[in-house]
Amino acid sequence: MTPLRYAAILFIFLINVLLTTALAQSILGFTPASAAHETAVEGKFKSIPTPDEERRQHHIFTQEPHVAGSKRNNELAEYIRDEWKKQGLEDVIIRRYDVYGTNPKSTFLEMTAPTHYTAVLREAPLDADPDSKNPAISGAWLGMSISGEVTAPVVYAHSGNPEDYDLLRKNGISVKGKIVLVRYSNPYSYRGFKALTAQREGAAAILIYSDPAEDGYKKGKVDPDGPWGPEYKIQRGAITYDFMVPGDPQTPGWASVPGAKRIPIEQALSAPKIMALPLSWHDAKPLLENMKDDGPISPQNWQGGLPFQYHFGGERVKVHLKIEMDNGVQPYYVVEGRIRGAELPDEWVVLGNHRDAWVFGGVDPSSGTASMMELTRTLGQLAKAGMRPRRTMVVCSWDGEEVGLTGSTEWGEQFADELRAKAVAYVNVDEATSGPNFHGQAVASLAPMLEETTRTLQNPDPPNKTLYAAWKETIAREKEAGTQSGPFDSGVANTTLADTRIGSGSDHTVFLNFIGVPVIGLGFEGDYGVYHSGYDDFYWMNHFGDPGYKYHTLMSQLWGVTALRLANADLLPFDFASYAANVRQFVQELANKNKLVILSGGEAGAKDPTKDCTACGASGTASKPLNLTDVQIAIDAFEVAGKKLNESLKAKLAAGPIDPKLALTLNHGMMQVERNWLNPDGIPGRPWFKHILYGARFTYAHLELPGLTEAVEARDWPTARQQAEILEHALGKNTKLLNELNSTLNP
Ligand SMILES: [Zn+2]
């Protein structure tokens, strides 16, 4: 080797060392010195959670059924409280909420014609799985069903969506006074929406069954030989109309602390007024099979995995259904603990997971609960070792998530003002692990920091890969298969992998939609056919979900590192340019789908599209009196302000230590941005849901720009115009705020 060549190699080596050091120490929101310290703290954090501990905790939580309101679930609240105290958490407290709860007394279903069949309504035990023999496993029931008794003909109504009833009507079939049999469907549609739709159609009751095409033998091997749902699997769940207003139906918008004012249940918007029962395919089969001469054959996409043709029914098959419920006020318990912040105790990073399960909750939620217990053990150890976070971490074990997001909603409503003042972000983990595929959700401003965080973690299988790389592959694979619904699909923020379209269906809802706290949601997913059933248990997790508890461990690490970054950042790692890019995409999609007018650049100021609507004419429809030009202009301004702020923050951080007073001003300003997306009046018809960028459809599906989108879809142009103005105003307010922060940085 020539000396010159040697020198060149040495030079490249040195550059590499410098680059790696620089990269390792650069963390969004941290000065170089803080980043070096943070890297050390995170290294320590990641070294503590172990698969054995995850498995041990998981076994405790999955030992017995623990539905909301049950003795066992309340004992687990006490267990968590005691563990947290031992682990070193502070201010550990159990908070009680007296809420409208739901429990079954008895359920009964028999077919009375054309032949007799009595439904089993229970799950058969599996020899390989000792827990499946536990006598405490409930029978078939759906939370918030009403009590009643009816004998009536059965109509098969496919997914039970409004368009399904339209098709039945076209075929001359009415469901009034009849019992509808619908299936759990793919794409997912919340069972509460199926119940509401059946109620609106005048049905006497709704039966919801699991078709083997959705999550049973048509998908692959069934439990105990594989992850899919067996013949007797029953998907329990609530039918609460929490898409109208979540939480205790009798205290919409305020907390159910003992003694709180309650509205009569008859007036509660979210309380269903229909009988509902879930069925295994074993119990649904005789009903569907006996419809063979009953009404026309249903269309191809209504056919399922059972080996015969599905008909509409409506005449020949009759059933007798009897449901006795014990619905009424009962206590739910939220466990709350914290690690007090060393420097900024009044800035909170909130972490949460629900505790209640339909049965054992192997995946949902006990995988998350086990990960939370390892997370808190680790946080406790770090605090004891003098590595206390700068901000306070508040950790909560929610109750009654499964019933109506109840515990988190009541807690959020109780502390809304304090959270508005103090909360930096909420990080939710519901189902931690049903397989190896990572999915991360974040409001668009936190998508870049979440992505950066996954670069520092190792994927267990295949190894020698970062979680980031594995995540990227998962998204690419799903995109290829057409099963990805996140931003990657639609081109939003192509540089981020996080799903920035956030609907409802878990405990982040009160934080985002009612209080205006930025949220992150984390989960590993895989083939999972035993959701909400008695088979979702310890056996299933140890054979299919996460046999080595490696993904549980990774979840504790990821959750912890994400929380630490939010808690320790010098300047909070929000990226508002990313937010702007996402909002632009949301608006553009709405405009494209509904042929609305957005003019770009120079055209914008010159034309009034309500009067001169060439695009409307070209689309062949009548002039639509809504243009989103001003909204677009407001987004552009917000993006410019966001980009400027990103640059200023980066420069400020690179320059070293930041004056605490300046940091306080900047951080509180940035925390205000999410609050500013709230409209105090809420979205039209659903005043509880106040966020103007994020909402959920009645199916729980994400719904961007909810107020505006629903008005446009209803062709209610005055409301649409009003909602567009609200959006434009909020964008303006946040642009002004970012510009002010920017001037503070560059006086
Ligand atoms: Zn859950």
Side-chain angles (χ1 to χ4, degrees), residues 565-610:
R565 289 186 175 194
L566 290 163
N568 292 339
D570 295 290
L571 300 175
L572 294 170
F574 291 115
D575 183 333
F576 299 112
S578 161
Y579 225 147
N582 276 264
V583 178
R584 176 181 295 112
Q585 184 74 31
F586 298 162
V587 169
Q588 249 152 19
E589 283 170 3
L590 177 73
N592 292 347
K593 225 173 148 185
N594 295 281
K595 302 192 173 71
L596 303 173
V597 178
I598 300 179
L599 297 178
S600 57
E603 285 175 286
K607 284 189 183 177
D608 178 0
T610 60

Side-chain angles (χ1 to χ4, degrees), residues 676-697:
N676 286 347
W677 299 130
L678 297 196
N679 173 17
D681 296 336
I683 61 180
R686 293 192 279 168
W688 189 92
F689 288 88
K690 301 185 189 305
H691 208 290
I692 59 171
L693 303 181
Y694 288 118
R697 294 193 185 269

Side-chain angles (χ1 to χ4, degrees), residues 55-388:
R55 188 172 191 272
R56 191 181 72 80
Q57 290 287 1
H58 187 249
H59 203 189
I60 291 167
F61 284 98
T62 55
Q63 235 157 44
E64 290 292 332
H66 53 287
V67 77
S70 66
K71 185 163 169 280
R72 175 64 181 176
N73 199 43
N74 298 343
E75 284 166 6
L76 286 173
E78 290 170 1
Y79 167 75
I80 292 174
R81 176 195 61 197
D82 297 345
E83 283 287 292
W84 280 358
K85 283 184 179 170
K86 277 187 240 162
Q87 290 173 345
L89 268 67
E90 293 140 339
D91 308 327
V92 180
I93 183 171
I94 295 184
R95 297 194 185 272
R96 171 179 167 162
Y97 299 98
D98 288 345
V99 304
Y100 189 80
T102 179
N103 301 283
K105 264 192 210 156
S106 68
T107 57
F108 176 79
L109 177 75
E110 63 182 340
M111 179 164 63
T112 55
T115 59
H116 189 264
Y117 171 77
T118 305
V120 182
L121 304 184
R122 296 206 80 89
E123 284 153 331
L126 308 172
D127 278 342
D129 178 0
D131 286 328
S132 69
K133 295 161 195 153
N134 189 323
I137 298 172
S138 68
W141 70 292
L142 289 173
M144 292 287 178
S145 165
I146 59 166
S147 302
E149 183 168 9
V150 64
T151 301
V154 181
V155 178
Y156 170 55
H158 188 227
S159 295
N161 291 325
E163 60 271 22
D164 296 322
Y165 293 96
D166 290 342
L167 187 70
L168 285 169
R169 252 187 297 279
K170 269 187 208 148
N171 282 274
I173 297 163
S174 160
V175 302
K176 269 218 166 53
K178 294 180 184 166
I179 294 171
V180 293
L181 173 65
V182 308
R183 56 202 251 201
Y184 284 112
S185 43
N186 221 343
Y188 184 81
S189 169
Y190 171 53
R191 71 189 80 71
F193 179 56
K194 297 175 192 286
L196 176 65
T197 310
Q199 179 185 314
R200 283 174 170 169
E201 294 285 343
I206 181 170
L207 307 171
I208 313 177
Y209 83 100
S210 299
D211 196 283
E214 194 211 15
D215 56 11
Y217 62 75
K218 283 282 175 184
K219 291 282 195 174
K221 281 189 181 168
V222 303
D223 197 20
D225 304 313
W228 297 103
E231 181 171 357
Y232 290 88
K233 188 214 71 169
I234 299 164
Q235 185 191 129
R236 294 160 192 76
I239 57 164
T240 317
Y241 304 159
D242 54 7
F243 40 77
M244 306 289 290
V245 51
D248 181 351
Q250 294 186 284
T251 64
W254 64 92
S256 300
V257 291
K261 181 187 98 182
R262 312 185 63 75
I263 61 168
I265 193 67
E266 299 73 34
Q267 287 170 21
L269 274 180
S270 62
K273 292 170 178 63
I274 188 167
M275 277 191 280
L277 188 71
L279 299 179
S280 65
W281 70 252
H282 176 90
D283 278 341
K285 187 168 174 249
L287 277 51
L288 288 162
E289 215 166 16
N290 277 290
M291 286 178 191
K292 67 173 176 290
D293 304 316
D294 195 359
I297 295 172
S298 64
Q300 195 50 45
N301 65 328
W302 284 39
Q303 299 300 318
L306 296 170
F308 48 78
Q309 280 185 315
Y310 296 20
H311 288 241
F312 290 128
E315 302 284 343
R316 189 164 179 260
V317 175
K318 285 197 176 69
V319 300
H320 167 215
L321 172 69
K322 190 174 179 196
I323 297 176
E324 275 189 277
M325 299 294 292
D326 180 17
N327 294 344
V329 178
Q330 68 177 119
Y332 282 5
Y333 298 99
V334 169
V335 195
E336 179 194 315
R338 68 190 66 199
I339 302 277
R340 285 185 216 127
E343 294 169 38
L344 301 160
D346 285 334
E347 291 177 18
W348 294 357
V349 176
V350 187
L351 315 172
N353 157 265
H354 73 90
R355 184 179 68 254
D356 62 304
W358 284 107
V359 189
F360 301 102
V363 171
D364 183 11
S366 302
S367 62
T369 316
S371 287
M372 179 180 70
M373 296 311 284
E374 270 299 80
L375 166 84
T376 50
R377 181 173 76 89
T378 306
L379 287 174
Q381 281 203 17
L382 289 195
K384 283 175 196 162
M387 283 182 260
R388 187 174 280 278

Side-chain angles (χ1 to χ4, degrees), residues 354 356 363-365 401-402 430-431 505-507 531-532:
H354 73 90
D356 62 304
V363 171
D364 183 11
E401 185 271 354
E402 296 290 5
D430 186 327
E431 302 169 4
S506 195
D507 291 307
Y531 170 70
H532 286 188

